[in-house]
Amino acid sequence: MNHAKIAAGRRQTLAIIGDKVLAAGDKKCCNVSDWRNIIEVAAGNVHLANNTGNVHSVGLLANGKVTATGWNKHGQCNVADWENIAQIAAGWRNTFGVTHSGEVIAAGRNHHGEGDISDWRNIAKIAAGDWHTVAITVDGMALSTGINTHGQCNIQNWRNLVDISAGYSHTIGLKSDGTVLATGWNKHNQCEVANWKNIIAISAGSSHTVGLQANGTVIACGWNDFGQCDVQNLRNVVEVAAGCLHTLVRLADGGLLAVGEFTELPKL
């Protein structure tokens, strides 16, 4: 599993640099200065119209434990007792962890069924949107739960997946052949990925979609009012993360770049 070394949320940017996690943005969700031995980060995200932007940040430790900071009104940061976790995801008001045995645990709000994951098994990757949760199994099949107003959960027939990501109300999946699938809310053309080829990583922002191509360049579609899709000139990229209003990338030399709004970067 490729652990996420960077994360972009509604009001925060996170990056694992050496043995530390660095953060920039809203101090309420960036209190990570004492985090150590973190191997993956996740940033709570939310569509611009949903609320004032309260979010949280999550870190996965090398020993399989989890830490979190930020908005905790719904208990989404109550993860201190989690163990044996292999991968994490942060939604708007919830947090998910995939265990090494492929089961899923959740913390936070579940008013719309987005946390109904107790019977999921053999999970390889999980992703959380605003009101829906998606995952892929070890054999490349897709699962979903939560609100389906825009068809964001209509992924039951997806096959041969190697990655999955959830936005505000859309879902994208990366197939083993480097093509991308998308479903859900498409007001801003965030699901227009049918022509994407040679993709090795994906990330769904609130209303935009980002793909990393095998040659280290980046492609994006969707809402671009803040320049979050202006990625055409990025080169030598090894990881991408889409937030609400910005897109973050990690370069092969370890550097960070961002486009869009709220693009303050952690000081390296």
Side-chain angles (χ1 to χ4, degrees):
M1 177 181 297
N2 294 322
H3 292 291
K5 305 296 184 184
I6 58 174
R10 171 66 177 87
R11 292 183 178 274
Q12 80 274 47
T13 296
L14 306 174
I16 300 174
I17 305 296
D19 64 347
K20 298 180 180 180
V21 176
L22 303 180
D26 190 331
K27 294 181 179 179
K28 290 181 291 185
C29 56
C30 290
N31 186 21
V32 301
S33 60
D34 61 345
W35 287 12
R36 294 293 185 274
N37 300 315
I38 301 295
I39 60 173
E40 179 168 298
V41 287
N45 202 359
V46 57
H47 190 263
L48 185 63
N50 269 356
N51 72 343
T52 58
N54 292 325
V55 288
H56 65 298
S57 301
V58 187
L60 172 62
L61 284 77
N63 63 4
K65 293 182 178 293
V66 180
T67 186
T69 187
W71 191 42
N72 195 36
K73 179 179 179 180
H74 305 281
Q76 57 265 50
C77 291
N78 297 343
V79 297
D81 60 344
W82 289 11
E83 296 181 339
N84 195 37
I85 303 300
Q87 188 252 324
I88 55 174
W92 175 19
R93 298 162 295 185
N94 45 38
T95 303
F96 298 89
V98 179
T99 69
H100 283 283
S101 60
E103 297 178 342
V104 182
I105 56 178
R109 186 171 173 176
N110 187 30
H111 287 192
H112 305 286
E114 61 268 42
D116 292 344
I117 45 74
S118 60
D119 61 343
W120 287 7
R121 298 291 185 271
N122 300 315
I123 302 302
K125 173 72 182 291
I126 196 165
D130 272 30
W131 296 303
H132 75 296
T133 306
V134 295
I136 55 175
T137 64
V138 293
D139 56 358
M141 299 178 65
L143 298 174
S144 63
T145 187
I147 281 184
N148 194 34
T149 306
H150 301 282
Q152 60 265 47
C153 289
N154 294 342
I155 62 175
Q156 291 79 10
N157 294 325
W158 289 7
R159 298 291 186 272
N160 302 316
L161 297 179
V162 295
D163 199 4
I164 198 162
S165 188
Y168 161 58
S169 289
H170 76 294
T171 302
I172 56 173
L174 175 61
K175 298 184 67 176
S176 57
D177 64 0
T179 60
V180 181
L181 302 172
T183 186
W185 193 46
N186 196 35
K187 178 180 180 180
H188 303 286
N189 296 319
Q190 59 265 49
C191 292
E192 301 303 318
V193 299
N195 295 324
W196 288 15
K197 309 293 183 185
N198 300 315
I199 303 299
I200 60 173
I202 54 172
S203 184
S206 290
S207 298
H208 72 294
T209 302
V210 181
L212 173 61
Q213 300 179 107
N215 64 1
T217 61
V218 183
I219 190 170
C221 63
W223 189 34
N224 195 37
D225 286 6
F226 298 87
Q228 58 266 52
C229 290
D230 294 341
V231 298
Q232 298 85 350
N233 296 323
L234 299 177
R235 298 290 185 273
N236 300 315
V237 176
V238 296
E239 188 177 356
V240 294
C244 177
L245 306 178
H246 73 297
T247 298
L248 173 69
V249 303
R250 182 168 62 91
L251 305 178
D253 64 4
L256 303 173
L257 292 174
V259 296
E261 191 65 45
F262 294 119
T263 54
E264 180 186 358
L265 293 175
K267 294 180 180 179
L268 302 181

